[in-house]
């Protein structure tokens, strides 16, 4: 039996036979090869589809992750007024902002002014206006007036979420965010956020703040001319501000009015009746926008202030009277090109006075908080504290002879050496060789640890014997805070410009301050008192107990005095910004006298001006902390020296200093320099 496979389709020969059974079935059409044009169309369609999918995904990602609430916040931080501790205003810092506006509360001519000049199709486009973009591109390519094609939504996206940098990438992100804003906010909400955050010049942000600043009226009561002038400022706020360029502001206002007529917000008759509005600025501040103290306090003030549009008033720890004293005593020093810095704080770290330079207007660089300079011999505080912690006593002896071996051979000022010297006398006379030997005895790691305990964060090199002489740079604020820790017997002390919150008992238990042992604290204060009463810091002596240390860096590049008395801790620094040597100035000289004058006036007593030498700029440079000429030790607690026209015998009886002055009539008095007037406030 023969098997035949069933045919899968009609036989082409049969189909071709006229009258055959498959005559009505046509043959398949021939395969036409795909043209090049159709191939490119297919690729473009696929690319467009992929782009749409990616775009939708990006918009969705923005909707889930981008902080929409950011558009509700002011673009610039609100204005902060800083007060002294007694309520006296001392500085006003930050932008002028005010509460947001509501579109429904504004007159039609106010919103119409902005829409007419910035975005006429605002209520019809989806965030990006292709027509405006095409018009701007054509104008720019044909050499016409340079135009921008950004809508109000795009502008809101730009100054809320992006940087002003003009790049294609930023424009793309701007358009994407604009679509996203349009998807999540109503048109009125977008307009409100735009008007409440736009910059209007004169450090003023938002329509309400600008309306009050330029015309002293609420935006709900603006006239058409006033609204037009404000709308014109948005294009170039700094250049068009009517307080600076009234002619340009008026010219721009007329352009806005013409646009309002063209868009139907004004009639020709209404336009013809308008006149240029009168500027009524009443907020010109009498307070400085910056001072050395205010600039330092501002970051902490921002953290204390609430995020929002309201202006803030915050009280600081600054004492207005003491700040005035600081300006006077530093302003009458006659420093030449040299700069001066002063920091005064309570033992708990409350900063009550700050001078960062001779003149803030000339140089806002704060030499008290920003300049890192060598502390010189004031650093010896940490060396001797570490020695006391290691078991040394002030009466213990140490070699005070010249160091003649090794690569590092420091010298004592004036070539004053001895076989041995007590720690107290070495500290008082600021012996360099004794400090270096003491560092080697106790180990530099213990000295560094001590400095760290007292709050010093500056880098300090291990294995460097010059560390004992203060070659590690730090700020005057940091150094003064370390001395405050000694004054308070509580470390570390953190300098602050605002009243600190009281720590609870549990917080104190976990991270509370540490303190020195009673013996250590008494011993270091004994040394600090000796440095003032009979050592290098005698120019800083007060009628009451005071403690301090002089410092002069290598080649007299820095001169310092840091000490405390009467519940105040004060650091004084003098130096040149270019780090060149000072001429005839050491820590025991001018800085010590400034410190003494500040402390005297701070206590309510008038400082007695002392005749000063005429400094010879060509004279020799005093290398370190040089004591006054004529200082001769007589016994352990008694010295004789010369001050002005008097011979002074200084001794201590039961811990109290006694001075016996003997006039010297045959001694020629030193000529006094006229006291220069202090510069205007810092």
């Amino acid at each position: 039996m023969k098997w035949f496979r069933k045919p899968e389709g009609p036989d082409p020969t049969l189909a071709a036979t006229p009258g055959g059974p498959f005559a009505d079935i046509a043959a398949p059409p021939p395969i036409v090869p795909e043209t090049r044009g159709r191939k490119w169309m297919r690729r473009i369609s696929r690319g467009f589809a992929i782009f749409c999918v990616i775009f939708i995904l990006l918009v969705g990602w923005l909707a889930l992750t981008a902080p929409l609430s950011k558009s509700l916040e002011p673009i610039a931080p609100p204005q902060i007024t800083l007060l002294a501790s007694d309520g006296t205003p001392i500085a006003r810092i930050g932008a002028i902002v005010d509460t947001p506006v509501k579109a429904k509360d504004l007159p039609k001519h106010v919103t119409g002014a902005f829409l007419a000049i910035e975005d006429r199709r605002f209520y019809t486009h989806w965030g990006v206006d292709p027509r405006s973009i095409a018009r701007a591109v054509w104008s720019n390519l044909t050499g016409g007036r340079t135009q921008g094609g950004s809508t109000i939504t795009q502008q809101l996206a730009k100054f809320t979420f992006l940087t002003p940098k003009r790049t294609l990438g930023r424009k793309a992100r701007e358009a994407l965010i604009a679509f996203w804003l349009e998807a999540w906010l109503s048109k009125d909400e977008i307009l409100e956020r735009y008007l409440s955050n736009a910059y209007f010049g004169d450090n003023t942000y938002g329509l309400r703040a600008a309306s009050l600043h330029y015309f002293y009226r609420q935006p709900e009561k603006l006239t058409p001319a006033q609204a037009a002038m404000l709308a014109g400022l948005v294009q170039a706020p700094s250049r068009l501000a009517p307080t600076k360029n009234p002619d340009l502001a008026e010219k721009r206002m007329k352009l806005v009015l013409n646009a309002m007529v063209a868009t139907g917000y004004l009639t020709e008759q209404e336009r013809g009746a308008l006149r240029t509005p009168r500027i009524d600025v009443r907020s010109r501040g009498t307070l400085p926008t910056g001072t050395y103290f205010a600039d330092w306090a501002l970051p902490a003030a921002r953290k204390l202030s609430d995020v929002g549009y309201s202006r803030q008033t915050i009280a600081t720890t600054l004492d207005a009277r003491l700040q005035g004293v600081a300006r006077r005593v530093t302003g009458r020093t006659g420093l030449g090109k040299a700069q001066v810095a002063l920091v005064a704080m309570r033992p708990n770290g409350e900063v009550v006075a700050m001078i960062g330079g001779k003149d803030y207007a000339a140089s806002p660089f704060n030499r008290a908080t920003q300049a890192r300079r060598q502390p010189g011999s004031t650093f010896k505080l940490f060396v001797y504290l570490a020695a006391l912690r290691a078991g040394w006593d002030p009466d213990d002896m140490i070699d005070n002879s010249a160091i003649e071996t090794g690569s590092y051979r420091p010298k004592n000022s004036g070539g004053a050496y001895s076989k041995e010297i007590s720690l107290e006398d070495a500290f008082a006379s600021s012996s360099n060789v004794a400090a270096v030997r003491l560092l080697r005895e106790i180990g530099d790691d213990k000295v560094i640890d001590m400095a760290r305990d007292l709050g010093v964060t500056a880098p300090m090199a291990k294995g460097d014997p010059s560390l004992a002489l203060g070659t590690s740079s730090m700020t005057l604020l940091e150094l003064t805070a370390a001395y405050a820790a000694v004054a308070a017997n509580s470390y570390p002390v953190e300098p602050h410009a605002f009243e600190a919150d009281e720590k609870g008992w549990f917080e104190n238990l976990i991270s509370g301050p540490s303190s020195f042992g009673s013996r250590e604290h008494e011993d270091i204060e004994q040394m600090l008192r000796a440095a003032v009463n009979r050592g290098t810091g005698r120019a800083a002596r007060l009628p009451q107990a005071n403690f301090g240390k002089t410092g002069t860096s290598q080649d007299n590049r820095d001169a310092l005095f840091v000490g405390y008395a009467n519940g105040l801790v004060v650091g004084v620094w003098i130096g040149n910004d270019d780090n060149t040597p000072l001429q005839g100035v050491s820590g025991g000289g001018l800085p010590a006298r400034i410190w003494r004058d500040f402390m005297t006036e701070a206590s309510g007593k008038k400082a007695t001006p002392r005749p000063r030498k005429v400094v010879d700029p060509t004279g020799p440079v005093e290398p370190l902390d040089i004591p006054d000429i004529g200082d001769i030790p007589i016994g352990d607690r008694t010295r004789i020296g010369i001050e002005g026209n008097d011979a002074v015998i200084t001794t201590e009886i039961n811990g109290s200093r006694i001075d016996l002055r003997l006039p010297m009539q045959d001694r020629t008095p030193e000529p006094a320099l006229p006291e220069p007037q202090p510069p205007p406030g810092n």
Side-chain angles (χ1 to χ4, degrees), residues 302-346:
R302 293 292 186 207
K303 293 180 181 179
L304 293 174
S305 61
D306 298 327
V307 177
Y309 290 86
S310 60
R311 303 179 187 183
Q312 304 289 321
T313 300
I314 306 176
T316 70
T317 59
L318 190 81
D319 188 300
R321 185 182 72 86
L322 296 181
Q323 181 68 14
V325 172
R327 282 198 296 267
R328 287 194 299 273
V329 299
T330 57
R332 63 187 182 215
T333 54
L335 295 170
K337 71 171 186 175
Q339 290 286 345
V340 61
L342 182 148
V343 173
M345 65 178 68
R346 307 288 184 195

Side-chain angles (χ1 to χ4, degrees), residues 34-50:
E34 187 177 22
T35 64
R36 194 170 182 180
R38 293 186 64 180
K39 193 179 291 184
W40 275 106
M41 286 296 297
R42 179 167 53 83
R43 291 177 179 175
I44 292 172
S45 300
R46 286 180 181 177
F48 182 75
I50 294 172

Side-chain angles (χ1 to χ4, degrees), residues 3 10 20 103 107 154 224 336 352 362 464 549 552:
W3 297 91
Q154 287 177 276
V352 297
D464 185 0
K549 183 71 183 74
T552 311

Side-chain angles (χ1 to χ4, degrees), residues 547-577:
F547 313 85
K549 183 71 183 74
T550 60
T552 311
S553 66
Q554 188 176 13
D555 298 326
N556 283 66
R557 301 179 189 276
D558 307 270
L560 304 97
F561 187 91
V562 188
Y564 58 91
N566 302 327
L568 289 175
V569 188
V570 180
V572 179
W573 168 90
I574 293 176
N576 292 317
D577 285 340

Side-chain angles (χ1 to χ4, degrees), residues 616-681:
D616 181 6
T618 63
V621 175
E622 298 179 349
L624 289 170
D625 301 324
I626 297 181
D628 292 339
I629 297 176
D631 182 64
I632 303 172
I634 304 175
D636 189 36
R637 295 289 187 268
T638 304
R639 300 211 167 204
I640 184 171
I642 297 175
E643 291 186 7
N645 298 325
D646 298 335
V648 182
I649 300 175
T650 303
T651 188
E652 288 187 30
I653 301 177
N654 297 326
S656 299
R657 181 178 59 83
I658 297 185
D659 290 344
L660 177 61
R661 295 181 176 271
L662 303 175
M664 300 172 59
Q665 300 296 334
D666 60 336
R667 186 173 171 86
T668 304
E670 297 170 344
L673 292 177
E675 295 288 346
Q677 295 298 317

